[in-house]
Amino acid sequence: MRRRTGVRIAFSCLLLVGTWASASLTSTAGAAPAPTAPPASAGMLTALQEDLGLTASQARERLAAEKTAMRVDRAARRTAGSTYAGSWYDAGTGKLTVATTRADKADALRETGAAVRVVRHSAKELDAAKERIDALDAPKGVSSWHVAPRGNTVVVNVVAAQRRDNDVQRFLDRARQAGPVQVETVGKAPRTFAAGTVGGDPYYTGNVRCSIGFSVHGGFVTAGHCGQAGAGVRGWDGSNIGSFQGSSFPGNDYAYVSVGNGWWTVPVVLGWGTVPDQLVRGSAEAPVGASVCRSGSTTHWHCGTVLAKNETVNYSQGAVHQMTKTSVCAEPGDSGGSFISGDQAQGVTSGGWGNCRGGGETWHQPVNEILGRYGLTLHTA
């Protein structure tokens, strides 16, 4: 890296981390240690207050409750076994609800600290129904589809203006044959958040600017639609960082970039002055309903909540599977950037609809899936 000033060197070092914050001890592919005490920096609390309409004490209490919910979910999954039918976090009560197909499991599940709901379909059955829908050829008027534990169904999202389109109706008819389906409407179709080159931002490949996700040992992870395997990557100062070692899009939306040429990685996520730069400590997965924040090179730091998991998103380039949907806004150039919940890494920004002036929704590709795919180890503090 070119050494211009001490401040510039420090800034470029942080850029290489990506834009992520999270916590727990060292995490390897597919493994996430149990969360410890929740972070409560002034900047983090301020961001949650502004984006979620919380007071400082409410933000602090929510972070603590969500840490507990992550722990309860892991215990409940083990207890429910094959009867597990999903879970969701209720910010109003501060409790995690776990669904099961067996009433005789309820008492044991309550002992884990979860509220319990008895439902008809197991998570395995709903996942199988979604996989059957994944095999269908979706028209552009179909935005996405995901398993919805709260409704014990598969939700198919359709762009409102195209709800009556013949191709959309045929798709819905076939989707209903795959399993329990609920149809909902959205205002706009999803898109990815790559952008043309803009000086002074995290990384470039060709004429595209994207955002760095998480540091891993040997490089960083980001969105697959930002570049193909073998493509070179330049940093904020135009110097060579490394290259894409692996990339998948569509189907998935993740990539691994090597780091060298004087650049290095550190376990930090940029706060962009909104919050302090955050240390990354692990990758415990947040439940539906939990708060989540995103850091990206265009719109910097924004927060919201987890809306759905295992959603298939139907971009114009093709469907992407196993995505997590959030209420966080994003804009072109934020692609690849970091999603965090409390102090735990969640995933890399893929795409969405809307913007950070009028609001919208954004999907991320879960980070543990990326680590497992490429055999990577998350760089943690």
Side-chain angles (χ1 to χ4, degrees), residues 133-193:
I133 298 174
D134 285 344
L136 303 178
D137 185 14
K140 292 182 179 179
V142 177
S143 170
S144 62
W145 52 96
H146 68 272
V147 170
R150 192 188 297 263
N152 198 228
T153 186
V154 178
V155 170
V156 177
N157 294 298
V158 175
V159 178
Q162 300 182 56
R163 175 71 183 265
R164 302 302 176 188
D165 179 83
N166 289 336
D167 289 340
V168 170
Q169 288 300 311
R170 280 192 288 270
F171 178 88
L172 293 177
D173 288 342
R174 297 183 66 190
R176 291 186 179 99
Q177 296 173 17
V181 163
Q182 177 182 340
V183 179
E184 296 184 358
T185 57
V186 296
K188 296 181 180 180
R191 61 192 174 105
T192 56
F193 287 128

Side-chain angles (χ1 to χ4, degrees), residues 120-357:
R120 180 178 178 181
H121 304 287
S122 69
K124 184 177 181 180
E125 290 170 338
L126 293 175
D127 287 343
K130 179 184 172 293
E131 287 179 5
R132 288 190 286 271
I133 298 174
D134 285 344
L136 303 178
D137 185 14
K140 292 182 179 179
V142 177
S143 170
S144 62
W145 52 96
H146 68 272
V147 170
R150 192 188 297 263
N152 198 228
T153 186
V154 178
V155 170
V156 177
N157 294 298
V158 175
V159 178
Q162 300 182 56
R163 175 71 183 265
R164 302 302 176 188
D165 179 83
N166 289 336
D167 289 340
V168 170
Q169 288 300 311
R170 280 192 288 270
F171 178 88
L172 293 177
D173 288 342
R174 297 183 66 190
R176 291 186 179 99
Q177 296 173 17
V181 163
Q182 177 182 340
V183 179
E184 296 184 358
T185 57
V186 296
K188 296 181 180 180
R191 61 192 174 105
T192 56
F193 287 128
T197 300
V198 176
D201 286 292
Y203 84 88
Y204 309 90
T205 179
N207 66 343
V208 170
R209 167 172 59 86
C210 281
S211 299
I212 294 168
F214 287 104
S215 280
V216 296
H217 291 287
F220 64 82
V221 293
T222 186
H225 70 262
C226 291
Q228 297 182 344
V233 173
R234 306 184 307 281
W236 62 267
D237 63 351
S239 64
N240 183 44
I241 294 177
S243 61
F244 281 83
Q245 298 300 301
S247 179
S248 179
F249 179 80
N252 305 293
D253 194 5
Y254 51 60
Y256 164 49
V257 175
S258 63
V259 165
N261 306 299
W263 292 76
W264 63 95
T265 65
V266 290
V268 174
V269 172
L270 286 178
W272 297 100
T274 302
V275 300
D277 294 339
Q278 303 288 312
L279 290 176
V280 177
R281 298 185 187 278
S283 56
E285 187 176 341
V288 170
S291 62
V292 67
C293 298
R294 178 194 55 73
S295 181
S297 63
T298 299
T299 58
H300 299 170
W301 189 274
H302 288 276
C303 299
T305 58
V306 177
L307 300 177
K309 295 184 181 181
N310 191 22
E311 182 153 36
T312 296
V313 181
N314 191 35
Y315 293 126
S316 61
Q317 301 95 327
V320 177
H321 309 293
Q322 297 180 321
M323 303 277 271
T324 296
K325 179 164 67 176
T326 76
S327 64
V328 187
C329 67
E331 296 180 14
D334 288 327
S335 280
S338 316
F339 263 92
I340 65 166
S341 185
D343 59 0
Q344 296 293 299
Q346 298 299 305
V348 300
T349 302
S350 174
W353 62 268
N355 55 50
C356 290
R357 298 174 298 282

Side-chain angles (χ1 to χ4, degrees), residues 5 63 68 72 79 95 109 132 135 144 175 181 232 246 264 267 294 319 345 353 361 368 373:
T5 68
L63 287 172
T68 299
V72 170
T79 300
K95 294 275 290 184
L109 287 169
R132 288 190 286 271
S144 62
V181 163
W264 63 95
R294 178 194 55 73
W353 62 268
E361 294 176 341
N368 286 330
R373 169 62 181 83

